[in-house]
Amino acid sequence: MSGRRTIQRSAIIEVIYDATGPLRLEEILELASRKVPTLGIATVYRHLKRLQDAGEVRAVELDINDVRYEPTGQDHHHHFLCRACGDAFNIHECPKGIAKLALPGFEVDEHQVTLYGRCSDCSSSK
Amino acid sequence: MSGRRTIQRSAIIEVIYDATGPLRLEEILELASRKVPTLGIATVYRHLKRLQDAGEVRAVELDINDVRYEPTGQDHHHHFLCRACGDAFNIHECPKGIAKLALPGFEVDEHQVTLYGRCSDCSSSK
DNA sequence: ATAGATGCAAAGAGTTTGCATAGGT
DNA sequence: ACCTATGCAAACTCTTTGCATCTAT
């Protein structure tokens, strides 16, 4: 999982790790471009793929056509997607006993919970 | 908002309504093609879009690059995705008080729960 | 000095659209 | 008869890949 320490790679990784929730590819490109203006989109695609293959980053899809990337290594968490501003937030609580919802005979080894609505900023400024 | 009653339209609608869980576009094309062999993929795309715009069908994405379509009008439910065979199943139970997981100030008006694992067929035939 | 990383542009894959024709009303 | 729906192929969009160059080691 080495790879060379290029400024592009560092910029992309920093952006993903500094985020408070999962980011879209365009957001990663936009934010990392501030640090490395020549950054090309193919490089972002390539690093996201490498980071996923290395198990350091995971893709989550909170809505249709809305793939976002977040570091693995975070505590178990879920997501809130604001339908007004489009931002995604991490939720650190988890409903208990959720695996018991499965039908008999079904083995559950993972689950995902996503809440949709308006974030605090958007709900206060209607 | 009706539209003409063509055999293509009927076939597509039947396939979606007869399914026990949300279907992928290719599955809809494949199943509806048995009834209408000349069916073109563009027609499936067009009907899915129309049905969604009319609020009769909804798209759900249970995993990355895995858009599936299901009728609205079903009771509130969630999904189980089998990682072995790729089939999606509806879950009719729902964890209570899930909206309370949101941070203070966040308004929740919808939620989605997805379980991942092995369905009963796949877990018994390991 | 060498081999991996980058950026560009071309190639793929998936989805949408334009258009002539078929078919529902 | 009219006018929408269909199927094909072209156009788009998003993602991946090839290649010459650059750069970290």
Side-chain angles (χ1 to χ4, degrees):
Chain A
M1 65 148 259
S2 40
R4 291 183 177 171
R5 295 208 211 96
T6 64
I7 51 172
Q8 289 88 344
R9 178 178 163 89
S10 309
I12 290 166
I13 289 176
E14 273 174 35
V15 162
I16 296 172
Y17 280 80
D18 288 350
T20 58
L23 297 178
R24 277 187 274 254
L25 184 128
E26 317 90 69
E27 295 174 310
I28 295 169
L29 176 61
E30 149 77 22
L31 293 168
S33 290
R34 294 185 192 162
K35 308 180 183 191
V36 189
T38 64
L39 182 62
I41 195 170
T43 299
V44 179
Y45 275 110
R46 277 189 279 235
H47 277 294
L48 284 173
K49 188 160 201 325
R50 284 180 58 133
L51 290 164
Q52 287 177 84
D53 290 347
E56 295 169 32
V57 163
R58 161 179 48 227
V60 293
E61 190 141 23
L62 304 185
D63 201 2
I64 303 299
N65 293 329
D66 182 54
V67 182
R68 292 165 193 248
Y69 302 88
E70 66 178 9
T72 54
Q74 299 180 87
D75 292 339
H76 177 77
H77 66 280
H78 296 295
H79 300 102
F80 179 100
L81 179 63
C82 178
R83 286 250 150 91
C85 67
D87 276 0
F89 303 82
N90 290 346
I91 292 177
H92 299 286
E93 284 184 82
C94 177
K96 294 298 168 202
I98 201 169
K100 291 179 187 146
L101 299 181
L103 294 167
F106 283 56
E107 285 176 21
V108 178
D109 51 50
E110 202 186 335
H111 67 267
Q112 184 177 50
V113 174
T114 310
L115 306 184
Y116 305 90
R118 303 175 74 97
C119 70
S120 53
D121 281 1
C122 290
S123 70
S124 61
S125 64
K126 263 185 233 177
Chain B
M1 62 153 262
S2 39
R4 292 182 175 169
R5 296 209 209 96
T6 64
I7 51 172
Q8 289 87 347
R9 178 179 163 90
S10 309
I12 291 166
I13 289 176
E14 272 173 36
V15 162
I16 297 172
Y17 280 80
D18 288 351
T20 59
L23 297 179
R24 277 188 274 255
L25 184 128
E26 317 91 70
E27 297 174 307
I28 296 169
L29 175 61
E30 150 77 22
L31 293 169
S33 291
R34 294 185 193 162
K35 308 180 184 192
V36 188
T38 63
L39 182 62
I41 195 170
T43 298
V44 180
Y45 275 111
R46 277 189 279 236
H47 277 295
L48 286 173
K49 188 160 201 323
R50 285 180 58 130
L51 290 165
Q52 287 178 85
D53 290 347
E56 294 170 32
V57 163
R58 161 179 46 229
V60 293
E61 190 140 22
L62 304 184
D63 201 2
I64 302 298
N65 294 331
D66 182 55
V67 182
R68 292 165 193 249
Y69 302 88
E70 66 179 9
T72 54
Q74 299 180 87
D75 291 339
H76 177 78
H77 66 280
H78 296 297
H79 300 102
F80 180 100
L81 179 64
C82 177
R83 286 250 150 91
C85 67
D87 276 0
F89 301 84
N90 290 347
I91 292 176
H92 299 286
E93 284 184 83
C94 177
K96 296 296 167 203
I98 202 171
K100 292 179 187 145
L101 299 180
L103 295 167
F106 283 56
E107 285 176 21
V108 178
D109 49 52
E110 203 187 333
H111 66 268
Q112 185 177 51
V113 174
T114 309
L115 306 184
Y116 305 90
R118 301 175 76 98
C119 70
S120 54
D121 281 1
C122 290
S123 71
S124 60
S125 64
K126 258 184 240 184

